Amino acid sequence: MYESLLKHIAKYLNQSQDPQTALEWVCAEIQQKLPSYDWVGFYFHKIEKKELHLKAFAGKPTDHIVIPFGKGICGQVALSNQKFVVDDVSEQDNYIACSIDVKSEIVVPLFMEGKNVGQIDIDSNTTRAFDKNDEVFLAEVNQRVATYLLRSKMNF
Ligand code: SME
């Protein structure tokens, strides 16, 4: 599944002209194809404000459009440059709840030319929804998106 989905995403990005549409398409595609991916979003760094800004998502609208660096799982990843897998969100102290339905979460940083510039964030309504395969898959998605954004000369 992950392999064919990656190929499909790569093919789409190859012919896509508009970065905003492309990011929204990638979110929707992943959310629709993978049953445990209930919410999918891309946050990008607003470095001068030390904030993450939500640029595209699929799933229920969230109030958390802007997240300060250090706050929640997303904010921690902005500072650590490391992926963060949460099997059970109820066990996290530094966590921002988007919905009471969410049980587990994975956040994988997105690097452009070696710099952490954003992240993909997935919420699941199932506990322990994410494993190593998801980490690898999402890092691959981010790599393709980063290459695409560099090619599109998009500056977030
Ligand atoms: N749960 C995240 C906040 C973003 S929402 O999941 C959309 C966090 O703790 O950073």
Side-chain angles (χ1 to χ4, degrees), residues 4 24 28 51 53 56-57 64 71 92 96-97 99 105 112-113 115 118 121 123 129 135 137-138 144 149 153:
S4 62
E24 285 167 9
E51 288 172 347
H53 287 220
F57 73 96
H64 304 111
K71 290 269 158 53
Q92 291 292 319
I96 303 166
S99 140
E105 177 163 8
M112 273 165 91
E113 295 173 321
K115 246 177 52 193
D121 174 21
D123 286 342
E135 291 173 21
F137 167 66
L138 293 169
R144 281 162 176 78
L149 292 176
K153 305 228 178 340

Side-chain angles (χ1 to χ4, degrees), residues 39-41 43 52 54 57 60-65 67 71-76 86 89 92 94-99 102 104-105 107 119 121-123:
W39 189 92
V40 177
Y43 285 93
L52 287 158
L54 184 64
F57 73 96
K60 284 191 195 151
T62 174
D63 289 341
H64 304 111
I65 310 292
I67 299 177
K71 290 269 158 53
I73 309 302
C74 296
Q76 292 176 74
V86 180
V89 298
Q92 291 292 319
N94 191 357
Y95 169 72
I96 303 166
C98 276
S99 140
V102 175
S104 59
E105 177 163 8
V107 179
Q119 53 193 237
D121 174 21
I122 323 291
D123 286 342

Side-chain angles (χ1 to χ4, degrees), residues 5 24 46 66 69 94 104 111-113 154:
L5 195 47
E24 285 167 9
K46 195 102 191 159
V66 177
F69 283 10
N94 191 357
S104 59
F111 297 98
M112 273 165 91
E113 295 173 321
M154 183 146 186

